[in-house]
Structure formats: structure tokens, C-alpha cells
């Protein structure tokens, strides 16, 4: 497999775009190569600029849960575009989307559309601070909530991948009120809340962490956060940008039976177009301007193209049997990959929740960011490159996830497991 055109396109891009990419995790630096450039995609397949095809397990980092270029989504966007792309004036589509989201997400009574997950979490933090009149925020090491200043502390995803200690350009005064604690360690949270609880506006958490690789909540962790927020009057925010509409129709909060006060959404809600959202209890959401006095705005928030793509996607996800199918596909793939690692005698800890998963190259338990960081990222890099040569596109970082879609058929999963068997043998030869 060769990537001559991608190499040239990357060199050209680097002249005009910092690092040649519009988002750092796409750079593939962490896996020791240049990024491939994609020409088109359909279903679970990608085609790059050199004509190579891949089975795609990134799906634009989660949004394409029904597959690329789904006819229903394409048709919805086409029809909307013919009527205009954006008005900056209310449309009935936005109300339909809000009603659909409230219907699907158990804790939501009202919702506000924005254009990215970062906007959703930034707004949720401002809302929590405005609603409580408090300043402090608790997040968790290895969780990534977008690149908003006050949340870019001990973050996962690209920050962890590139080993950036946070980010220059964020004044200490901004992050002084952000406490980042070990994920899954409820005692640590309880200690901090007992000392500072009256100053804490919110605890924000990925209910299943997916930016340090995939790390599920320990039994009782989410329930414990709920109890601590109730006891100290803090707002519990679930960042469901990845887990929303993926782990169940109602996301992680439905799957784990713990209801937050505010939920942040993104990715799937836009069906591949730029959409984020935040919402929750009516009493809290009514603090947002113009109903209340906490300000947040967005030129393209709720634009008809993005609403059309998102609504078409959520309608497809509302059909019977969808989440059983995603569960079975995820299970089948994860068990296949684990079996291939065992056969190749390569240490791998496999975590999977529904159609979201990650294989850590380690033989120790992974329960938080600190233990995830012990993974052999060199082994992951070799695995990534070998799988790419086999025609399988994985996340170019150990600290991300694989995303299975409805478009992945058993034949694709079998091909992936067969490819992994060969790739892992080469990892074994090279590193173990
Ligand atoms: P965006 O601003 O990238 O739409 O969403 C930020 C965000 C918020 N919360 C969670 C849990 C997230 O995972 C994300 C973004 N996820 C990364 C991948 N892990 C997006 C990929 C990228 O940064 O290019």
C-alpha cells in the first residue's frame, strides 16, 4: 500500500495549516506517520487520495454511527440546502430537534443547540457557575471536554496523545478554579467535596471515559458523584458528546441509570455536521439568555442543514433493534481483537461499552488515566500502521477509541479480526 498522493497533500497542507491539520489528533504523529487524506466515504468504508480503501473505526470520531453518506442523511441535507443553508432566524426544525433530544435523553427537559462539543461544555460550565453563583469546577484526569480554557487541564485525547501539559495561552487565573482528580476514585472526590463543596459549581465527567482510551465507570462511581452533588448543591454535568445516542438511545445516563442535572451532547446529534447541545432541568436551563441572564450565543446554532442531518440520524437510531445490533457488533469485534492478541501473545486489555471500545497495550488493569498511560504506545503505533496496510483505519492514538457503526457488517468485522491477527504477530515480532 502506498500513500504518495497523501504525502504530497500533507506537505502542501503544512504550508498553509498549522501541522497540516485542522485538529491535532488527525496528525497521526503519535503513530509515527503522516496522515492519509480522504477522498470519499460510504457506509463503513473510506477511500483515500491514493485509491486505498479502509474499514473505518473512527467514523469522524463518533458522529457516523449510521455510516458515511447514509442515503436518509444525504437526502435530508440536500432538501434543506435547496431551501437555504442558514437564516439566523428561528425555524421549526430547531423545535423538532429539541423535542427529539428531550424525548430521547432521560434527564433533559430543555436544550440549547450550539456548533461543537467544546461550545456545549463551555456553556454548561458557565451555566453551572451562573446558576450556583460558585466558581470551582471538578473534572477528571484524562477526560477531555473540548478545548475550552477552564477545562483544558490534565486532559485526554489530543492533549494526552501529544503529551502537551495543558496548554500555553491559558492564564493561571483561568484554571485556578478547576480541580482535576483521578477518574473512578470516588474517595478522592468525597474528600475534596467535604473540604470545598460549598464552593463547587459543578462536577463534569465523561460517564464512560473515552479520551484516555475507553475506561468505564467503576460500579458506584457515577452514583457517588450524583450523591455528592446533591449533598453539596453542585451541578452534575455528564459530558455525553461521545456516549450520547451511542451507548443507548438515552446515552450513558440511560445505560447506567444515573441522571445528571445538565448533559452535553455533540457528534452523533449532528450526523456529521457541526452540532453540539447542552440541556437538562428546566429550572437550570431557564437561566440561559434570553430567558435568563447567563449569556451564550452562536451564529450557526441550530442551522437547518445541521438540524436536518442530526434529525435524520436520530430517527434512524430510533428504529427498533438498533442498539441490540450495535451491542452485538461491538461485542463481536472486541472479542475477536482480544482473541487475536491472545493468540499472538501480545498483552492487551480490552475495554468495551456497547459499540465503543479500546484495546490497551498493557497487561495491567486500566481504571484511570494514570494506569492508561502505562500502555505501550510504541506497540499501538506499530499496530496502527500494520492495520492501515491491511486496509483498516483505527484512531491514530492509543488514547482514543474505536467506534462501530450500523454499517459494519459481520464480513467487515471478520476481515478486521483477520487483519489484526497478522498485525499483532508483527507487533509481537517487533516489540515483545
Ligand atoms: P468538539 O469541540 O471537538 O466537537 O467536541 C469536544 C469534545 C467534548 N467532549 C468529549 C467527551 C469529546 O470527546 C470531545 C471531542 N472528542 C475528540 C476525540 N476524542 C474530537 C476529535 C478532535 O479533537 O479532532
Amino acid at each position: 500500500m502506498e500513500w504518495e498522493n497523501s504525502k504530497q497533500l500533507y506537505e502542501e497542507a503544512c504550508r498553509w495549516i498549522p501541522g497540516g491539520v485542522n485538529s491535532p489528533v488527525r496528525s497521526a504523529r503519535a503513530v509515527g506517520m503522516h496522515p492519509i487524506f480522504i477522498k470519499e466515504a460510504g457506509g463503513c468504508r473510506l477511500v483515500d487520495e491514493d485509491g486505498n480503501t479502509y474499514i473505518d473505526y473512527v467514523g469522524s470520531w463518533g458522529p457516523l454511527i449510521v455510516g458515511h453518506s447514509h442515503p436518509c442523511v444525504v437526502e435530508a441535507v440536500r432538501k434543506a440546502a435547496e431551501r437555504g443553508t442558514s437564516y439566523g432566524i428561528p425555524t421549526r426544525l430547531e423545535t423538532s430537534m429539541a423535542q427529539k433530544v428531550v424525548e430521547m435523553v432521560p434527564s433533559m427537559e430543555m436544550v440549547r443547540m450550539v456548533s461543537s462539543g467544546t461550545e456545549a461544555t463551555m456553556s454548561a460550565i458557565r451555566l453551572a457557575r451562573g446558576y450556583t453563583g460558585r466558581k470551582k469546577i471538578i473534572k477528571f484526569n484524562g477526560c477531555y471536554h473540548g478545548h475550552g480554557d477552564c477545562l483544558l487541564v490534565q486532559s485526554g485525547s489530543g492533549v494526552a496523545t501529544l503529551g502537551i501539559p495543558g496548554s500555553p495561552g491559558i492564564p493561571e487565573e483561568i484554571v485556578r478554579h478547576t480541580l482535576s482528580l483521578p477518574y473512578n476514585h470516588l474517595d478522592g472526590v468525597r474528600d475534596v467535596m467535604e473540604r470545598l463543596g460549598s464552593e463547587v459549581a459543578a462536577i463534569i465527567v465523561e460517564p464512560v471515559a473515552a479520551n484516555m482510551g475507553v475506561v468505564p465507570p467503576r460500579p458506584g462511581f457515577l452514583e457517588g458523584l450524583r450523591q455528592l452533588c446533591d449533598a453539596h448543591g453542585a451541578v452534575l454535568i455528564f459530558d455525553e458528546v461521545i456516549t450520547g445516542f451511542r451507548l443507548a438511545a438515552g446515552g450513558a445516563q440511560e445505560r447506567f441509570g444515573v441522571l445528571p442535572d445538565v448533559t452535553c451532547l455533540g457528534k452523533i446529534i449532528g450526523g456529521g455536521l457541526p452540532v453540539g447541545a447542552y440541556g437538562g432541568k428546566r429550572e437550570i436551563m431557564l437561566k440561559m439568555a434570553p430567558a435568563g441572564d447567563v449569556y451564550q450565543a452562536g451564529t450557526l446554532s441550530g442551522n437547518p442543514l445541521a438540524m436536518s442531518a442530526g434529525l435524520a440520524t436520530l430517527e434512524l437510531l430510533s428504529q427498533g433493534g438498533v442498539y441490540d445490533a450495535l451491542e452485538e457488533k461491538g461485542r463481536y469485534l472486541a472479542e475477536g481483537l482480544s482473541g487475536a492478541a491472545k493468540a499472538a501473545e501480545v498483552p492487551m486489555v480490552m475495554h468495551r461499552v456497547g459499540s465503543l471500545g479500546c484495546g490497551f497495550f498493557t497487561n495491567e488493569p486500566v481504571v484511570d488515566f494514570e494506569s492508561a498511560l502505562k500502555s505501550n504506545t510504541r506497540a499501538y503505533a506499530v499496530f496502527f500502521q500494520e492495520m492501515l496496510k491491511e486496509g483498516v483505519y483505527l484512531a491514530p492514538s492509543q488514547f482514543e477509541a474505536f467506534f462501530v457503526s450500523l454499517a459494519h457488517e459481520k464480513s467487515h468485522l471478520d476481515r478486521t479480526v483477520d487483519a489484526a491477527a497478522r498485525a499483532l504477530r508483527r507487533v509481537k515480532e517487533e516489540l515483545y
Side-chain angles (χ1 to χ4, degrees):
M1 190 174 279
E2 61 86 31
W3 297 295
E4 201 45 50
N5 290 344
S6 281
K7 275 182 197 157
Q8 286 176 18
L9 286 164
Y10 179 58
E11 285 161 13
E12 179 70 8
C14 285
R15 292 181 58 201
W16 312 105
I17 305 169
V21 293
N22 282 308
S23 196
V25 281
R26 302 177 194 170
S27 70
R29 281 188 187 180
V31 289
M33 64 180 287
H34 62 79
I36 58 173
F37 276 59
I38 297 303
K39 183 190 287 185
E40 59 187 329
C44 69
R45 284 192 172 282
L46 299 169
V47 182
D48 74 11
E49 289 284 357
D50 292 281
N52 305 309
T53 62
Y54 307 92
I55 301 172
D56 179 18
Y57 287 99
V58 175
S60 184
W61 302 96
L64 281 307
I65 194 169
V66 299
H68 292 282
S69 310
H70 190 290
C72 295
V73 177
V74 173
E75 180 61 12
V77 173
R78 187 185 63 75
K79 279 182 178 170
E82 287 172 351
R83 296 194 300 270
T85 53
S86 182
Y87 317 113
I89 308 168
T91 63
R92 66 174 64 221
L93 266 176
E94 294 159 81
T95 307
S96 303
M97 172 62 100
Q99 289 169 326
K100 186 64 180 172
V101 170
V102 166
E103 171 198 312
M104 292 179 78
V105 184
S107 65
M108 278 197 173
E109 296 173 345
M110 296 191 95
V111 61
R112 166 66 60 82
M113 292 294 139
V114 291
S115 295
S116 71
T118 294
E119 267 195 275
T121 58
M122 275 171 59
S123 307
I125 293 296
R126 186 178 309 133
L127 169 57
R129 285 172 159 159
Y131 176 70
T132 61
R134 301 174 180 180
K135 293 181 180 178
K136 294 212 178 309
I137 297 294
I138 289 175
K139 72 173 289 290
F140 295 93
N141 301 343
C143 286
Y144 176 72
H145 303 292
H147 64 87
D149 275 356
C150 76
L151 288 169
L152 213 48
V153 174
Q154 292 275 347
S155 295
S157 186
V159 182
T161 298
L162 300 175
I164 305 170
S167 171
I170 301 177
E172 192 282 327
E173 297 85 342
I174 296 281
V175 292
R176 188 173 55 214
H177 299 296
T178 304
L179 292 89
S180 194
L181 305 176
Y183 188 80
N184 266 331
H185 293 250
L186 190 59
D187 290 347
V189 189
R190 184 174 294 112
D191 292 348
V192 170
M193 290 301 275
E194 279 165 7
R195 277 188 298 114
L196 301 171
S198 61
E199 299 175 52
V200 174
I203 295 177
I204 183 168
V205 66
E206 289 182 59
V208 172
N211 285 287
M212 54 175 105
V214 175
V215 178
R218 275 186 176 134
F221 180 62
L222 298 178
E223 295 81 351
L225 297 182
R226 178 67 277 169
Q227 288 155 15
L228 286 168
C229 284
D230 290 341
H232 296 276
V235 173
L236 179 58
I237 301 172
F238 274 10
D239 178 348
E240 295 223 41
V241 167
I242 282 186
T243 58
F245 312 114
R246 177 163 289 275
L247 301 189
Q253 57 193 266
E254 176 185 316
R255 192 178 183 109
F256 291 93
V258 177
L259 299 189
D261 301 305
V262 174
T263 300
C264 301
L265 298 167
K267 298 183 191 278
I268 291 172
I269 193 173
L273 269 67
V275 180
Y278 63 101
K281 290 178 178 169
R282 181 177 299 276
E283 176 206 349
I284 298 176
M285 289 305 291
L286 286 175
K287 281 293 285 180
M288 295 310 296
D293 53 2
V294 178
Y295 196 71
Q296 172 267 316
T299 302
L300 294 173
S301 298
N303 79 78
L305 290 198
M307 295 296 97
S308 299
L311 269 172
T313 299
L314 296 185
E315 287 305 332
L316 288 166
L317 292 175
S318 300
Q319 291 169 8
V322 159
Y323 289 97
D324 292 340
L326 286 166
E327 188 71 34
E328 175 52 21
K329 293 172 192 283
R331 182 200 63 76
Y332 190 80
L333 177 68
E335 288 183 6
L337 294 175
S338 294
K342 193 171 180 184
E345 295 178 341
V346 169
M348 180 183 283
V349 168
M350 176 58 69
H351 285 173
R352 176 193 67 89
V353 184
S355 57
L356 178 70
C358 165
F360 292 94
F361 283 82
T362 181
N363 51 18
E364 297 181 29
V366 178
V367 296
D368 55 20
F369 191 37
E370 292 67 24
S371 47
L373 287 173
K374 292 178 183 170
S375 303
N376 185 333
T377 51
R378 173 83 187 108
Y380 186 86
V382 174
F383 183 58
F384 173 88
Q385 291 199 27
E386 292 302 330
M387 288 294 270
L388 199 66
K389 294 173 197 166
E390 293 277 351
V392 177
Y393 189 77
L394 300 173
S397 163
Q398 168 72 89
F399 305 113
E400 297 288 354
F402 62 70
F403 301 87
V404 184
S405 79
L406 290 172
H408 287 88
E409 300 299 341
K410 187 174 179 298
S411 59
H412 299 119
L413 304 176
D414 286 332
R415 260 210 57 204
T416 303
V417 171
D418 291 347
R422 291 187 290 274
L424 287 161
R425 280 199 292 273
R426 289 196 280 276
V427 170
K428 170 76 175 174
E429 287 158 15
E430 193 161 330
L431 291 170
Y432 290 94

